[in-house]
Amino acid sequence: MFRKDVYDEEYFRSLNLNERQIKAVMYVKEKGQITNKEYQEICDTSARTSSRGPADLVSRRLFEQKGTIGKGTEYTLIRQRRHKGAIYAPKKS
């Protein structure tokens, strides 16, 4: 049985993400990860803003950060599931 991907632009708008964050999440859904440099390029933003956007997505438990802050930092999507209208992110092991 195939499931519909509920994590689309409409869903991310319902989380009050801004346009840059939505672009970044959709990029990660397609490519698997994003760096600060890629965020800066696809969102046409400054280096300073490109570090705040993904950091906010980490604090919202949508992205997981891999690596330290700086050039080597990559962000991936944390898979979430819906349960009776609530959002639960998987616990880190």
Side-chain angles (χ1 to χ4, degrees):
M1 179 172 158
F2 293 101
R3 291 186 191 176
K4 180 183 176 200
D5 183 5
V6 295
Y7 303 112
D8 57 12
E9 282 190 48
E10 183 179 329
Y11 169 72
F12 294 118
R13 287 185 200 292
S14 76
L15 298 177
N16 295 319
L17 299 184
N18 65 40
E19 292 299 318
R20 290 187 305 264
Q21 291 171 321
I22 292 170
K23 271 186 182 180
V25 172
M26 299 307 284
Y27 181 90
V28 172
K29 280 182 61 177
E30 181 181 331
K31 304 289 185 181
Q33 67 184 27
I34 193 169
T35 63
N36 284 339
K37 183 170 178 63
E38 289 169 327
Y39 185 93
Q40 186 176 353
E41 290 171 1
I42 66 167
C43 295
D44 191 28
T45 188
S46 69
R48 179 177 234 169
T49 301
S50 72
S51 64
R52 285 192 309 251
D56 183 53
L57 292 169
V58 168
S59 70
R60 292 174 182 244
R61 297 189 50 93
L62 291 170
F63 276 5
E64 179 177 19
Q65 180 178 323
K66 295 184 179 184
T68 58
I69 301 294
K71 286 185 178 183
T73 307
E74 296 174 346
Y75 300 91
T76 57
L77 194 60
I78 294 175
R79 295 291 173 193
Q80 297 180 330
R81 65 183 188 275
R82 290 181 187 224
H83 180 69
K84 295 184 181 179
I87 304 298
Y88 295 91
K91 291 183 180 181
K92 292 183 179 181
S93 45

